[in-house]
Amino acid sequence: MYISTSILSVEEANSTKIFYNLEEAKTDYFHIDVMDGKFVENDTNNKMLNYCNIIKQISNLPLDIHLMVNDVKQFVEEYIKFEPDIITFHYESCSSDEEVMKLINFVKENNVKVGLSIKPNTPVEKIYKFLPYIYLVLVMTVEPGKGGQSLIPSTLETAKKLREHIDSEKLDTYIEADGGINLDTINDIKNAGIDIAVSGNGIIKSEDYKETIKKLKI
Ligand code: DX5
Ligand code: ZN
Protein backbone atom coordinates (compact mmCIF):
# COMPACT_ATOMS: atom_id res chain seq x y z
CA MET A 1 0.00 0.00 0.00
CA TYR A 2 1.34 3.41 -0.99
CA ILE A 3 0.41 6.46 1.06
CA SER A 4 -0.29 9.85 -0.47
CA THR A 5 -0.62 12.50 2.24
CA SER A 6 -3.22 15.19 1.54
CA ILE A 7 -1.82 18.54 2.65
CA LEU A 8 -5.18 20.31 2.31
CA SER A 9 -5.59 20.68 6.09
CA VAL A 10 -2.01 21.87 6.73
CA GLU A 11 -1.95 25.38 8.19
CA GLU A 12 0.23 28.00 6.51
CA ALA A 13 2.15 28.91 9.65
CA ASN A 14 4.05 25.62 10.11
CA SER A 15 3.72 24.31 6.60
CA THR A 16 7.42 24.03 5.68
CA LYS A 17 8.22 22.12 8.86
CA ILE A 18 5.25 19.81 8.34
CA PHE A 19 6.36 19.00 4.77
CA TYR A 20 9.84 18.14 6.04
CA ASN A 21 8.33 15.91 8.71
CA LEU A 22 6.07 14.14 6.22
CA GLU A 23 9.03 13.33 4.00
CA GLU A 24 10.96 12.04 6.99
CA ALA A 25 7.93 9.97 7.98
CA LYS A 26 8.14 8.32 4.53
CA THR A 27 4.99 9.46 2.80
CA ASP A 28 5.15 8.14 -0.78
CA TYR A 29 3.50 11.20 -2.34
CA PHE A 30 2.24 14.67 -1.48
CA HIS A 31 -1.45 14.81 -2.47
CA ILE A 32 -2.39 18.29 -3.68
CA ASP A 33 -6.14 19.09 -3.60
CA VAL A 34 -6.85 21.84 -6.12
CA MET A 35 -10.37 23.30 -5.89
CA ASP A 36 -11.66 26.09 -8.14
CA GLY A 37 -14.71 27.33 -6.20
CA LYS A 38 -16.89 26.06 -9.08
CA PHE A 39 -16.65 22.27 -9.34
CA VAL A 40 -16.72 22.39 -5.53
CA GLU A 41 -17.50 25.32 -3.23
CA ASN A 42 -14.03 25.86 -1.80
CA ASP A 43 -11.23 27.58 -3.70
CA THR A 44 -7.79 26.24 -2.70
CA ASN A 45 -5.83 27.24 -5.78
CA ASN A 46 -3.62 29.96 -4.29
CA LYS A 47 -2.88 27.90 -1.19
CA MET A 48 -1.93 24.86 -3.29
CA LEU A 49 0.25 26.89 -5.68
CA ASN A 50 2.07 28.24 -2.65
CA TYR A 51 2.45 24.75 -1.10
CA CYS A 52 3.73 23.28 -4.38
CA ASN A 53 6.36 26.03 -4.52
CA ILE A 54 7.51 25.27 -0.99
CA ILE A 55 7.57 21.49 -1.53
CA LYS A 56 9.57 21.77 -4.75
CA GLN A 57 12.22 23.75 -2.86
CA ILE A 58 12.67 21.20 -0.11
CA SER A 59 11.72 17.78 -1.47
CA ASN A 60 12.09 15.42 -4.41
CA LEU A 61 9.06 13.37 -3.46
CA PRO A 62 6.44 12.97 -6.21
CA LEU A 63 3.43 15.27 -6.38
CA ASP A 64 0.01 13.64 -6.80
CA ILE A 65 -2.26 16.43 -8.03
CA HIS A 66 -6.03 16.05 -7.67
CA LEU A 67 -7.94 18.60 -9.73
CA MET A 68 -11.46 19.30 -8.48
CA VAL A 69 -12.11 21.93 -11.16
CA ASN A 70 -14.35 22.58 -14.16
CA ASP A 71 -11.69 23.87 -16.54
CA VAL A 72 -9.25 20.97 -16.42
CA LYS A 73 -6.96 22.16 -19.24
CA GLN A 74 -6.34 25.53 -17.59
CA PHE A 75 -5.30 23.91 -14.31
CA VAL A 76 -3.13 21.26 -15.98
CA GLU A 77 -1.27 24.14 -17.61
CA GLU A 78 -0.94 25.90 -14.27
CA TYR A 79 0.44 22.88 -12.36
CA ILE A 80 2.62 21.34 -15.05
CA LYS A 81 5.48 23.66 -14.05
CA PHE A 82 5.89 21.71 -10.80
CA GLU A 83 6.71 18.57 -12.80
CA PRO A 84 4.16 16.45 -10.95
CA ASP A 85 4.22 12.67 -11.13
CA ILE A 86 0.43 12.32 -11.49
CA ILE A 87 -2.38 14.68 -12.45
CA THR A 88 -5.91 13.40 -11.80
CA PHE A 89 -9.08 15.07 -13.05
CA HIS A 90 -12.76 14.28 -12.61
CA TYR A 91 -14.92 12.37 -15.06
CA GLU A 92 -17.75 14.68 -13.90
CA SER A 93 -15.83 17.77 -15.11
CA CYS A 94 -16.30 16.64 -18.70
CA SER A 95 -19.37 16.91 -20.88
CA SER A 96 -18.53 14.04 -23.25
CA ASP A 97 -16.34 10.95 -23.53
CA GLU A 98 -14.44 12.72 -26.33
CA GLU A 99 -13.54 15.47 -23.90
CA VAL A 100 -12.32 12.91 -21.35
CA MET A 101 -10.09 11.30 -23.97
CA LYS A 102 -8.76 14.67 -25.14
CA LEU A 103 -7.78 15.63 -21.60
CA ILE A 104 -6.16 12.22 -20.97
CA ASN A 105 -4.01 12.80 -24.04
CA PHE A 106 -3.25 16.38 -23.06
CA VAL A 107 -1.85 15.34 -19.67
CA LYS A 108 0.17 12.52 -21.24
CA GLU A 109 1.62 14.84 -23.89
CA ASN A 110 3.11 16.79 -21.00
CA ASN A 111 4.90 13.64 -19.78
CA VAL A 112 2.76 13.31 -16.68
CA LYS A 113 0.88 10.19 -15.57
CA VAL A 114 -2.86 10.66 -15.73
CA GLY A 115 -5.60 9.70 -13.30
CA LEU A 116 -9.37 9.81 -13.72
CA SER A 117 -11.55 10.33 -10.65
CA ILE A 118 -15.17 9.48 -9.92
CA LYS A 119 -17.44 10.91 -7.23
CA PRO A 120 -19.27 8.50 -4.89
CA ASN A 121 -22.51 8.44 -6.92
CA THR A 122 -21.01 8.01 -10.39
CA PRO A 123 -21.39 4.44 -11.74
CA VAL A 124 -17.88 3.04 -12.11
CA GLU A 125 -18.74 1.32 -15.42
CA LYS A 126 -18.75 4.77 -17.04
CA ILE A 127 -14.96 4.93 -16.90
CA TYR A 128 -14.17 1.31 -17.96
CA LYS A 129 -13.45 2.31 -21.56
CA PHE A 130 -10.68 4.69 -20.43
CA LEU A 131 -8.81 2.18 -18.27
CA PRO A 132 -6.25 1.10 -20.92
CA TYR A 133 -5.20 4.75 -21.43
CA ILE A 134 -4.78 5.94 -17.83
CA TYR A 135 -2.36 5.29 -14.97
CA LEU A 136 -4.92 5.22 -12.17
CA VAL A 137 -8.53 5.60 -11.14
CA LEU A 138 -9.12 7.78 -8.08
CA VAL A 139 -12.21 6.47 -6.31
CA MET A 140 -13.62 9.21 -4.08
CA THR A 141 -14.58 7.70 -0.74
CA VAL A 142 -16.23 11.01 0.33
CA GLU A 143 -17.92 13.79 -1.65
CA PRO A 144 -15.11 16.01 -2.95
CA GLY A 145 -14.86 19.49 -1.42
CA LYS A 146 -13.37 19.28 2.02
CA GLY A 147 -11.16 17.25 4.34
CA GLY A 148 -12.15 15.58 7.60
CA GLN A 149 -15.31 13.79 6.39
CA SER A 150 -16.31 10.17 7.12
CA LEU A 151 -15.75 7.49 4.52
CA ILE A 152 -18.93 6.50 2.65
CA PRO A 153 -19.17 2.66 2.92
CA SER A 154 -20.82 2.12 -0.50
CA THR A 155 -17.68 3.50 -2.19
CA LEU A 156 -15.77 0.43 -0.96
CA GLU A 157 -18.11 -1.72 -3.06
CA THR A 158 -17.35 0.53 -6.04
CA ALA A 159 -13.62 0.00 -5.49
CA LYS A 160 -14.04 -3.79 -5.19
CA LYS A 161 -16.04 -3.93 -8.40
CA LEU A 162 -13.36 -1.92 -10.19
CA ARG A 163 -10.60 -4.17 -8.75
CA GLU A 164 -12.38 -7.28 -10.09
CA HIS A 165 -12.85 -5.67 -13.50
CA ILE A 166 -9.21 -4.55 -13.76
CA ASP A 167 -7.98 -8.01 -12.73
CA SER A 168 -10.31 -9.91 -15.02
CA GLU A 169 -9.32 -7.72 -17.99
CA LYS A 170 -5.63 -8.15 -17.03
CA LEU A 171 -5.11 -4.38 -16.97
CA ASP A 172 -2.41 -2.75 -14.88
CA THR A 173 -4.34 0.41 -13.93
CA TYR A 174 -3.83 1.38 -10.29
CA ILE A 175 -6.65 2.24 -7.91
CA GLU A 176 -6.31 5.16 -5.52
CA ALA A 177 -8.89 6.03 -2.84
CA ASP A 178 -9.42 9.44 -1.26
CA GLY A 179 -11.40 10.72 1.71
CA GLY A 180 -11.93 9.63 5.31
CA ILE A 181 -8.98 7.23 5.30
CA ASN A 182 -7.29 6.78 8.69
CA LEU A 183 -6.16 3.98 11.01
CA ASP A 184 -9.81 3.00 11.63
CA THR A 185 -10.70 2.60 7.95
CA ILE A 186 -7.42 1.46 6.37
CA ASN A 187 -8.26 -2.24 6.66
CA ASP A 188 -11.45 -1.81 4.66
CA ILE A 189 -9.41 0.11 2.08
CA LYS A 190 -6.90 -2.74 1.83
CA ASN A 191 -9.66 -5.33 1.53
CA ALA A 192 -11.16 -3.35 -1.33
CA GLY A 193 -7.95 -3.82 -3.34
CA ILE A 194 -6.70 -0.24 -3.26
CA ASP A 195 -3.08 0.42 -4.33
CA ILE A 196 -2.67 4.03 -3.14
CA ALA A 197 -4.47 5.48 -0.11
CA VAL A 198 -4.82 9.24 0.30
CA SER A 199 -4.94 10.37 3.91
CA GLY A 200 -5.21 13.95 5.18
CA ASN A 201 -6.49 14.46 8.70
CA GLY A 202 -5.69 10.81 9.54
CA ILE A 203 -2.00 11.73 9.29
CA ILE A 204 -1.83 15.50 9.85
CA LYS A 205 -3.87 15.39 13.07
CA SER A 206 -1.95 12.40 14.47
CA GLU A 207 0.75 12.75 17.14
CA ASP A 208 3.47 10.87 15.32
CA TYR A 209 3.49 11.00 11.50
CA LYS A 210 6.09 8.24 11.24
CA GLU A 211 4.11 5.76 13.35
CA THR A 212 0.84 6.58 11.60
CA ILE A 213 2.25 6.25 8.08
CA LYS A 214 4.01 3.01 9.05
CA LYS A 215 0.76 1.54 10.34
CA LEU A 216 -1.20 2.75 7.31
CA LYS A 217 1.31 1.06 4.99
CA ILE A 218 1.15 -2.40 6.63
C1 DX5 B 1 -11.56 15.87 -0.56
C2 DX5 B 1 -10.09 15.75 -0.91
C3 DX5 B 1 -9.35 14.76 -0.03
C4 DX5 B 1 -9.41 15.03 1.42
C5 DX5 B 1 -8.58 14.09 2.22
O1 DX5 B 1 -12.17 16.74 -1.45
O2 DX5 B 1 -9.94 15.33 -2.22
O3 DX5 B 1 -8.02 14.63 -0.50
O4 DX5 B 1 -9.05 16.34 1.71
O5 DX5 B 1 -8.63 14.47 3.55
P1 DX5 B 1 -9.17 13.50 4.71
O6 DX5 B 1 -8.23 12.34 4.76
O7 DX5 B 1 -9.09 14.36 5.91
O8 DX5 B 1 -10.56 13.08 4.36
ZN1 ZN C 1 -7.93 14.61 -2.97
Side-chain angles (χ1 to χ4, degrees):
M1 171 78 69
Y2 293 102
I3 301 298
S4 188
T5 306
S6 165
I7 58 166
L8 181 63
S9 315
V10 170
E11 279 165 29
E12 311 253 9
N14 303 315
S15 54
T16 308
K17 180 95 179 59
I18 290 174
F19 302 149
Y20 265 120
N21 292 345
L22 287 170
E23 172 150 18
E24 209 175 63
K26 297 198 164 43
T27 186
D28 295 298
Y29 299 89
F30 287 107
H31 182 86
I32 311 293
D33 285 307
V34 182
M35 305 182 190
D36 64 351
K38 292 180 187 130
F39 183 78
V40 291
E41 222 174 283
N42 284 332
D43 185 341
T44 62
N45 190 35
N46 285 338
K47 183 174 176 180
M48 291 303 132
L49 287 171
N50 179 27
Y51 282 3
C52 285
N53 271 314
I54 298 173
I55 290 171
K56 289 307 279 187
Q57 286 172 39
I58 63 170
S59 173
N60 285 321
L61 283 182
L63 297 183
D64 165 30
I65 298 197
H66 177 195
L67 298 180
M68 285 161 274
V69 303
N70 280 344
D71 191 342
V72 174
K73 193 161 184 272
Q74 180 205 321
F75 284 89
V76 170
E77 278 164 350
E78 199 158 356
Y79 281 81
I80 213 84
K81 61 171 176 282
F82 300 113
E83 299 177 341
D85 193 50
I86 308 163
I87 295 183
T88 296
F89 65 93
H90 271 266
Y91 173 76
E92 299 86 1
S93 300
C94 304
S95 50
S96 67
D97 285 358
E98 289 70 37
E99 192 185 349
V100 176
M101 206 56 225
K102 254 189 208 160
L103 290 168
I104 289 172
N105 288 329
F106 182 64
V107 175
K108 285 160 84 172
E109 279 158 21
N110 283 284
N111 293 316
V112 177
K113 294 170 189 146
V114 62
L116 191 58
S117 184
I118 49 166
K119 299 207 284 185
N121 292 326
T122 300
V124 67
E125 294 84 358
K126 299 242 185 217
I127 53 110
Y128 282 180
K129 65 163 82 156
F130 304 110
L131 293 174
Y133 309 106
I134 62 178
Y135 182 73
L136 64 79
V137 177
L138 174 58
V139 175
M140 288 307 298
T141 41
V142 299
E143 283 298 334
K146 53 180 190 291
Q149 307 180 72
S150 302
L151 186 146
I152 301 168
S154 64
T155 60
L156 295 169
E157 300 309 314
T158 306
K160 279 182 197 159
K161 198 171 178 182
L162 177 61
R163 174 86 275 155
E164 278 164 23
H165 178 79
I166 287 174
D167 290 350
S168 72
E169 295 293 310
K170 299 197 167 40
L171 294 164
D172 50 15
T173 323
Y174 285 102
I175 308 177
E176 182 175 27
D178 182 10
I181 301 176
N182 51 44
L183 289 176
D184 295 331
T185 54
I186 192 70
N187 274 327
D188 292 336
I189 289 292
K190 272 173 207 163
N191 293 336
I194 304 297
D195 304 294
I196 307 173
V198 176
S199 179
N201 285 274
I203 294 170
I204 302 297
K205 296 238 154 57
S206 72
E207 287 284 307
D208 185 339
Y209 296 169
K210 208 175 247 176
E211 268 306 299
T212 306
I213 291 176
K214 197 167 134 192
K215 285 184 188 152
L216 288 170
K217 280 185 180 179
I218 292 169

